[in-house]
Amino acid sequence: MTKMSPSDLKAMLASEKANALAAVSAARLAEDRADAMDYYLGDMRKDMPAQDGRSRAVSTDVADTIEALMPALMDIFAGSDEVVRFEPVGPEDEAAAQQETDYVNHVFMQQNPGFMTLYAFVKDALLSKVGIAKVWWEEREEESRETYYDLSDDQFALLAQAVIESNGALKIIEHTVHDPAVRATGTEATS
């Protein structure tokens, strides 16, 4: 086994010390978060156990404070039509910046539950000392099936042309040709 240099030993010890302190800090933070949730819910048994024969009523100051702050904070983050705004770099970028602003605001607030995401994020930050919002892009294909009955030859030709022009986005799964003579008489003609 080769001998470790003093600088490598110092680096390794510093890394181990940082890991140990991070674990202690994380454990303390987890305990603080659990206490904050207990206080929010009005559970004070850990810090102030009720004595026998005394009232068990507790103050909900933490919940009251957080709930009182939420409307003002939500007004800051979601109180206007623009949750986000893209600033143009130059005069030639003004139209693009406005279009990007409109699109991102539409996607965030209309296509997604933007207000509720912000609400949960802010409330979690107040209660747990950290607010987390996960963002991702999801692409998925949706299939739909359509059935057409009693199409004329021209109508079917138009439909087939649309399928050809779709470059594989559309396809005909089944096609049945009915003999009009069979419908008229109700019996099938054979030869």
Side-chain angles (χ1 to χ4, degrees):
M1 181 173 195
T2 60
K3 188 175 180 183
M4 188 180 288
S5 70
S7 64
D8 288 343
L9 180 62
K10 283 181 182 178
M12 184 183 78
L13 291 174
S15 173
E16 293 298 321
K17 179 182 176 184
N19 287 342
L21 291 175
V24 169
S25 178
R28 189 175 310 124
L29 183 60
E31 187 177 331
D32 289 347
R33 288 178 178 163
D35 289 344
M37 183 57 77
D38 287 343
Y39 299 155
Y40 181 81
L41 297 173
D43 184 358
M44 302 289 292
R45 289 177 286 182
K46 179 180 173 186
D47 296 321
M48 299 172 55
Q51 297 175 358
D52 291 334
R54 298 286 179 119
S55 171
R56 297 195 187 313
V58 294
S59 172
T60 57
D61 288 349
V62 173
D64 296 343
T65 302
I66 288 174
E67 296 304 327
L69 286 171
M70 287 302 297
L73 290 172
M74 289 307 297
D75 189 40
I76 291 169
F77 289 107
S80 73
D81 291 339
E82 291 182 346
V83 176
V84 65
R85 181 181 320 136
F86 289 83
E87 295 293 334
V89 177
E92 69 279 359
D93 297 331
E94 288 180 12
Q98 184 60 46
Q99 185 177 19
E100 292 162 354
T101 297
D102 293 342
Y103 178 74
V104 170
N105 282 298
H106 175 76
V107 168
F108 184 70
M109 295 301 279
Q110 304 299 319
Q111 292 181 344
N112 292 286
F115 182 85
M116 292 308 297
T117 300
L118 285 172
Y119 188 90
F121 171 76
V122 170
K123 190 168 187 176
D124 196 34
L126 291 172
L127 186 57
S128 302
K129 300 183 181 180
V130 66
I132 298 172
K134 182 177 178 180
V135 179
W136 72 95
W137 185 273
E138 183 177 330
E139 290 186 23
R140 63 176 179 244
E141 291 184 19
E142 292 184 18
E143 286 189 15
S144 64
R145 193 175 193 132
E146 295 179 5
T147 303
Y148 299 95
Y149 295 103
D150 299 327
L151 293 179
S152 67
D153 290 340
D154 291 339
Q155 291 170 324
F156 179 74
L158 286 173
L159 184 63
Q161 184 62 34
V163 169
I164 291 169
E165 291 172 358
S166 74
N167 294 323
L170 301 173
K171 66 180 176 179
I172 297 175
I173 297 173
E174 183 179 344
H175 175 239
T176 306
V177 177
H178 295 283
D179 188 357
V182 172
R183 279 202 190 141
T185 64
T187 60
E188 189 169 325
T190 56
S191 52

